[in-house]
Amino acid sequence: MFGTVVVGVGIAGLARIRDLMNPVPSSPSEHLKLLGFVSRRSFGNINEAKQISLEDALRSKEIQAAFISTENRSHEETIRMFLEAGKHVLVEYPMALSAKAAHELWEMAEKKDKVLHVEHIELLTEEYKQLKKEVAGKDLVKGTLHFTGHVLDENKTGFPAFSGIARLTWLIDLFGDLTVTSATREKQKDKNYSRMTVHFQTANK
């Protein structure tokens, strides 16, 4: 059994706690044992999972892996701490707010001989697998992907492009490497509205 800790208890963190406490039979999750969760807020226990301090999670010899589900801006620092402590790390996307930091973290994990996995659960769903089958062998001529969401706190989530990075991962997985040809941003502060429009080109133009 691998001892694990969940760091951050927003929507993603609570889902992690739920899934680790009720693993799907015969799934790899059955080999993971949730030993606690870390949060800046005080909860006590959540569904029998006990709250522990970050320091205890880093020091514990029983905890071999951390699931990081905090806000984007803190991912990099939290990954570094757990890798330094000799733990495997699974982090919700994005891993860091810059490619440079991400490469440094990959190298650090390699040197420590630890797994550093960036999770994008949408790519594992049956719906996405079906979509991938449908586009296999076809050439993309033109397409539009539009999605909406609530206004994000950029101090926590980073530049708006990071709120759309999941969809960018979709496109790269489906159509290969993409080049940004243009990007614009529109803001209407009085309406608390922001929109980013990005045009990409595939390798075969």
Side-chain angles (χ1 to χ4, degrees):
M1 293 289 283
F2 251 58
T4 64
V5 64
V6 172
V7 183
V9 287
I11 295 171
L14 289 172
R16 292 282 177 204
I17 291 171
R18 179 200 67 209
D19 293 345
L20 286 166
M21 297 194 77
N22 301 285
V24 175
S26 301
S27 74
S29 297
E30 283 195 316
H31 302 288
L32 301 174
K33 183 179 181 183
L34 181 64
L35 296 177
F37 68 90
V38 173
S39 176
R40 290 186 300 260
R41 293 173 289 169
S42 180
F43 286 96
N45 288 3
I46 297 176
N47 300 334
E48 296 177 25
K50 63 178 181 177
Q51 184 165 3
I52 61 176
S53 70
L54 177 62
E55 292 74 19
D56 285 346
L58 291 167
R59 276 198 303 260
S60 172
K61 288 188 168 64
E62 294 181 329
I63 293 173
Q64 287 100 29
F67 289 73
I68 298 173
S69 305
T70 56
E71 65 273 6
N72 296 347
R73 191 167 290 280
S74 67
H75 286 183
E76 179 186 345
E77 181 187 2
T78 312
I79 291 168
R80 284 185 195 280
M81 286 192 288
F82 278 95
L83 287 178
E84 284 287 1
K87 320 286 186 192
H88 301 289
V89 176
L90 178 146
V91 61
E92 306 289 343
Y93 60 81
M95 180 164 62
L97 298 188
S98 76
K100 181 176 180 285
H103 286 294
E104 286 173 3
L105 292 170
W106 287 126
E107 288 170 13
M108 185 177 178
E110 216 167 278
K111 284 177 185 167
K112 295 275 185 183
D113 198 26
K114 297 299 169 189
V115 173
L116 172 54
H117 172 70
V118 184
E119 182 77 304
H120 186 356
I121 201 74
E122 291 173 1
L123 299 184
L124 305 176
T125 63
E126 290 307 314
E127 294 88 345
Y128 182 80
K129 288 176 186 174
Q130 183 58 40
L131 175 63
K132 193 163 183 179
K133 280 181 191 171
E134 287 174 17
V135 303
K138 296 177 183 174
D139 286 327
L140 175 66
V141 178
K142 190 176 183 182
T144 301
L145 180 63
H146 177 236
F147 63 97
T148 59
H150 60 279
V151 177
L152 299 171
D153 179 350
E154 290 186 31
N155 288 326
K156 293 182 178 177
T157 60
F159 191 67
F162 281 93
S163 64
I165 205 161
R167 276 66 188 187
L168 179 56
T169 309
W170 279 21
L171 294 176
I172 291 172
D173 189 57
L174 291 170
F175 305 112
D177 285 346
L178 302 170
T179 302
V180 177
T181 57
S182 68
T184 57
R185 185 181 181 193
E186 174 191 346
K187 286 181 83 172
Q188 296 177 22
K189 280 191 177 177
D190 55 326
K191 295 180 180 176
N192 208 20
Y193 173 84
S194 176
R195 179 174 69 184
M196 174 169 272
T197 304
V198 185
H199 293 97
F200 298 105
Q201 197 169 66
T202 60
N204 62 1
K205 309 296 182 190

